[in-house]
Amino acid sequence: MHSMWKSIKNVTRSGLVLGTCIQMVAPTLIVSQAAAQTPSGQSSQVKQTDRKYNITFEYRGCQRARSNTKVTCEVIATNFNDNYLKISFGARNEQYQTRAVDTLGNVYTSGSLQLNQYDSRDKILTDLAPGIPTKLTFNFKIPEQVTELSALDLGYLTVSRIDTVGRISLPNIGAIASANSTKK
């Protein structure tokens, strides 16, 4: 009987130690998740993921040309698959155009798109390499009085056995930088 109580005592002690560890670890995990979601520095990063194709889109800013209606917006697309992904990004393309939305809800369609040395008014087809960020630059005509944007709405087509149109919005993007204020 004495050895039975000794065994129960050892199991209980192990359970208490394990329970204490779990109680100590759980709050740390919650704190870590909250800290990861808190923006560091001046502003939060605008980033969205297309979970179906495992692509992230990260907003890098919009800039207005000097005293002009031309606004360029940069987005970094990264393929997190193990293989190359054939994808077409749209500017004015009817099926998957890219749009900017101002704070009043006005929508502006991209007039053209640049990807490296390629420039197109319609669309650009590329192979996104696994894990390598790819910079896309969208060009818009936005009235000078519009100084903030609420979202970029990106259109794209993934090319495979069944081509699929995708859309993703990058919300809360904020002020359009001025060329005058960035080059001093």
Side-chain angles (χ1 to χ4, degrees), residues 18-162:
L18 180 60
T20 304
C21 290
I22 290 171
Q23 288 176 349
M24 291 172 66
V25 171
T28 304
L29 292 174
I30 292 169
V31 170
S32 297
Q33 288 172 351
Q37 293 172 358
T38 304
S40 60
Q42 305 159 353
S43 62
S44 64
Q45 188 178 46
V46 179
K47 192 181 219 180
Q48 294 287 347
T49 301
D50 178 330
R51 294 183 196 279
K52 182 175 183 182
Y53 294 102
N54 207 18
I55 309 167
T56 63
F57 296 92
E58 180 182 347
Y59 171 72
R60 287 293 179 99
C62 290
Q63 183 171 335
R64 183 179 300 282
R66 295 177 192 211
S67 303
N68 199 335
T69 59
K70 182 180 178 185
V71 173
T72 59
C73 296
E74 291 184 359
V75 174
I76 302 292
T78 307
N79 168 15
F80 285 100
N81 293 292
D82 293 334
N83 301 314
Y84 279 82
L85 181 65
K86 189 171 284 297
I87 190 166
S88 177
F89 295 99
R92 294 189 309 187
N93 183 282
E94 271 187 43
Q95 291 180 310
Y96 48 97
Q97 57 189 223
T98 293
R99 302 175 286 237
V101 183
D102 69 19
T103 56
L104 297 174
N106 298 309
V107 178
Y108 308 94
T109 301
S110 177
S112 65
L113 159 68
Q114 281 112 17
L115 172 72
N116 299 324
Q117 71 273 19
Y118 301 107
D119 189 355
S120 174
R121 293 177 180 259
D122 189 42
K123 61 187 174 186
I124 292 179
L125 179 66
T126 189
D127 286 319
L128 281 184
I132 299 175
T134 301
K135 182 172 86 171
L136 304 163
T137 304
F138 296 93
N139 300 298
F140 298 92
K141 281 192 176 184
I142 299 175
E144 290 182 53
Q145 63 270 23
V146 176
T147 58
E148 286 191 41
L149 295 174
S150 61
L152 277 180
D153 183 33
L154 304 173
Y156 50 95
L157 177 79
T158 52
V159 180
S160 60
R161 286 181 289 159
I162 300 174

